[in-house]
Amino acid sequence: MDRDNMSGPKTVAELAEQLRSFAEDRDWQQFHTPKNLAMALAGEVGELLAELQWLTPQEAAHAMDDPELGGRVRAEIGDVMIYLTRLADVLGIDLVRAAEDKLVEVARRYPADQVRGSAAKALGS
């Protein structure tokens, strides 16, 4: 799929539809089981981690300033987004709604006035 032949999706739902069509066109939906997609997602997250693993916090914060490193990080984040979106679509999960629901839950568990400035618990844990 080349960039010239794609009208870019504007929403997560549009991206999910585009990925669904991409898989259907190649008869790949048979391989896109939740287990396989979750494993592929984990692999891609590992590849993203590998790009940042040995950087200092300062270097990691400026990774996108380096065209080569930034390109690799961007590509890995793209892979993560693709597999996460495809997994959610296969499972019938609205990604935006799931994130919103999780944020409400985390806000309830960790009120800002009680945890401000504390790294004791990270978002989403």
Side-chain angles (χ1 to χ4, degrees):
M1 184 181 294
D2 66 66
R3 195 79 167 116
D4 294 336
N5 293 333
M6 291 177 18
S7 61
K10 303 295 186 250
T11 67
V12 175
E14 289 172 348
L15 177 60
E17 174 58 37
Q18 190 174 28
L19 294 170
R20 190 178 318 121
S21 294
F22 186 87
E24 288 170 356
D25 289 349
R26 290 155 180 79
D27 195 25
W28 286 353
Q29 63 274 40
Q30 63 185 312
F31 308 114
H32 288 189
T33 64
K35 176 195 71 78
N36 288 354
L37 290 166
M39 290 174 65
L41 174 60
E44 294 301 338
V45 169
E47 290 180 19
L48 174 59
L49 287 170
E51 292 297 339
L52 302 171
Q53 180 174 9
W54 301 113
L55 301 180
T56 66
Q58 176 80 5
E59 290 169 333
H62 295 282
M64 300 310 292
D65 295 342
D66 177 326
E68 186 177 321
L69 174 60
R72 293 192 313 265
V73 167
R74 184 177 190 279
E76 296 306 336
I77 287 176
D79 286 339
V80 168
M81 182 69 173
I82 285 169
Y83 281 113
L84 179 61
T85 303
R86 188 74 182 114
L87 175 60
D89 185 49
V90 166
L91 291 172
I93 296 170
D94 178 323
L95 271 176
V96 173
R97 179 65 186 262
E100 289 172 338
D101 290 348
K102 185 64 179 187
L103 188 55
V104 167
E105 175 191 332
V106 172
R108 185 175 48 251
R109 287 180 24 208
Y110 305 104
D113 62 335
Q114 294 177 22
V115 300
R116 186 176 326 282
S118 170
K121 275 296 213 178
L123 177 66
S125 43

